[in-house]
Amino acid sequence: MAGEVSKAARDGSLQAVVSRMAKLDVGGLPRNYELFHEALSGADATLSRELLSLPSSPSQALLDEIGLRYQLPGFIALAPSTSRDQEIRLLRDLKEKMASGVTQKQGFTRVLEAVARSLREDSDAGPGDILAEIEYLSVSLSDAVVAETELEAALKAGIDRLAGASQKAAAARAITLTDRLTSLPNHAAFAERLEALYASPADDHGMALFLITIPDLPDISRTYGEAAAGRIVRKAATTFRRAIKKNDFVARIGSGDFAFLLRNVSRDSVQPIAERLMTTIADNLVFAASDRTAATLELSIGVALAQDAFSPQQLRLQATAALQTAKANGRPAVFVPDQARR
């Protein structure tokens, strides 16, 4: 029954997005669907108001500008190609400047050779003739210096533009690795961190992967709305961020799903850590269950130790298996290889 309700909600949301886009005559690009879905979900009231005030047949440039401003992944993906186009134009301009400088140098070299040849061949040349030749050389040299100066200025401007583009690319990459709702690292950032862990296994420092989910979140979303569920997720993210140490890592990898990579964790210390996280959530997250009662959130926690897995994929599978056990038993579970084999 719950699955049917969820499917109906998704179908209704999609229909609302399609209807609104058709009414405004917006092109059916995937990133436009993402933009209107975000706006109609109500998660960001400012974005919702901005899209509701759009004129009919808005330009794609306007939609892209809005999507980039609100840091939607589908629109941020546009930034790298734009940056590459700018870098290509810059390199082409620098090539033309360098070609001009080379031409000026070649011209000065020819003038210098001509003057030297003239002075060698004209044994009767007097001081006035020599001064005239020197003045001619000076003019040619000035032209070459001007070209060199222009090239230096172009190179400096090019370096500044490339540095700016690099900063923008880094900022865009940071956005693509950040969850927009919570500002935590997202699933892509988590995958990168996990790969890096196994790229240098000697530095794993007793790492453990904690997968944590909020089982009641789908019911809360259906009962109180997506905005209420979003507030709970943001509060949980803030609580988790404060609960970990400086060198530990936490990411939001799903609607109500979080992944932790914690250092210096032994099998004996898993349970106390899990209990601490559950207590932290219980103390900080209370939501209205009815008009007169309140309830605390429960967590399901599955844990796997990096020392028991030979790859990022295996570690995730082990932690996922432990999480399924935790959901069934109602208490944190840690993956134990020997038990799994049995």
Side-chain angles (χ1 to χ4, degrees):
M1 182 65 180
E4 293 177 0
V5 173
S6 178
K7 183 178 184 300
R10 287 197 301 270
D11 292 344
S13 176
L14 178 60
Q15 185 176 359
V17 169
V18 172
S19 175
R20 187 66 187 174
M21 289 176 61
K23 184 177 180 180
L24 292 178
D25 191 24
V26 171
L29 298 177
R31 63 180 184 272
N32 290 342
Y33 285 104
E34 177 188 4
L35 177 63
F36 277 80
H37 178 270
E38 286 290 329
L40 295 178
S41 71
D44 190 320
T46 305
L47 173 59
S48 300
R49 287 193 296 269
E50 187 163 353
L51 254 69
L52 288 174
S53 64
L54 280 175
S56 181
S57 301
S59 68
Q60 188 60 49
L62 174 60
L63 297 175
D64 289 345
E65 189 274 330
I66 295 172
L68 283 169
R69 183 153 27 90
Y70 285 91
Q71 303 178 354
L72 301 183
F75 290 84
I76 293 168
L78 300 174
S81 61
T82 302
S83 176
R84 284 194 294 271
D85 290 341
Q86 293 174 345
E87 290 174 5
I88 290 171
R89 286 197 297 271
L90 171 60
L91 291 173
R92 188 179 293 117
D93 291 343
L94 290 176
K95 177 184 176 183
E96 293 175 357
K97 287 287 185 184
M98 293 183 71
S100 176
V102 169
T103 300
Q104 291 290 342
K105 289 179 181 178
Q106 290 173 340
F108 176 72
T109 300
R110 287 194 295 270
V111 170
L112 183 60
E113 291 173 349
V115 169
R117 186 168 54 252
S118 175
L119 290 175
R120 284 196 303 269
E121 295 174 353
D122 189 359
S123 57
D124 296 330
D129 298 324
I130 295 174
L131 286 174
E133 299 288 2
I134 292 175
E135 187 173 339
Y136 182 37
L137 280 175
S138 178
V139 172
S140 298
L141 182 59
S142 295
D143 292 340
V145 170
V146 168
E148 286 290 317
T149 303
E150 290 178 351
L151 176 59
E152 180 184 9
L155 285 171
K156 183 180 183 304
I159 290 171
D160 291 342
R161 286 168 58 185
L162 287 174
S166 178
Q167 291 175 349
K168 289 181 180 179
R173 172 173 166 74
I175 291 171
T176 61
L177 296 177
T178 301
D179 176 58
R180 202 171 69 86
L181 179 64
T182 64
S183 296
L184 286 177
N186 60 15
H187 190 278
F190 165 62
E192 281 194 3
R193 182 62 68 95
L194 207 55
E195 290 288 345
L197 170 65
Y198 278 85
S200 53
D203 299 327
D204 63 19
H205 299 289
M207 298 291 286
L209 171 59
F210 284 64
L211 293 183
I212 297 181
T213 190
I214 305 174
D216 294 329
L217 194 66
D219 291 335
I220 293 172
S221 180
R222 285 191 292 271
T223 304
Y224 301 101
E226 290 186 7
R231 288 193 294 271
I232 288 174
V233 170
R234 284 195 296 270
K235 181 64 176 177
T238 300
T239 302
F240 286 146
R241 187 186 291 111
R242 293 173 178 170
I244 64 173
K245 298 176 183 177
K246 180 180 178 180
N247 293 325
D248 291 332
F249 176 85
V250 58
R252 182 188 180 217
I253 61 173
S255 177
D257 305 318
F258 299 84
F260 292 72
L261 283 171
L262 305 183
R263 290 170 174 254
N264 301 317
V265 176
S266 65
R267 203 175 302 278
D268 292 337
S269 64
V270 166
Q271 193 68 26
I273 293 173
E275 290 175 357
R276 175 171 59 84
L277 290 171
M278 296 181 76
T279 300
T280 302
I281 286 295
D283 291 343
N284 289 277
L285 271 177
V286 178
F287 68 96
S290 67
D291 292 339
R292 297 184 178 181
T293 63
T296 57
L297 285 179
E298 299 293 334
L299 298 179
S300 294
I301 302 178
V303 187
L305 303 180
Q307 67 188 29
D308 295 332
F310 59 80
S311 70
Q313 293 75 21
Q314 187 183 32
L315 182 63
R316 289 195 65 173
L317 287 173
Q318 291 177 353
T320 300
L323 180 62
Q324 296 305 318
T325 301
K327 289 179 179 179
N329 296 340
R331 59 181 183 272
V334 58
F335 183 88
V336 180
D338 290 340
Q339 292 179 357
R341 280 193 289 269
R342 287 199 297 269

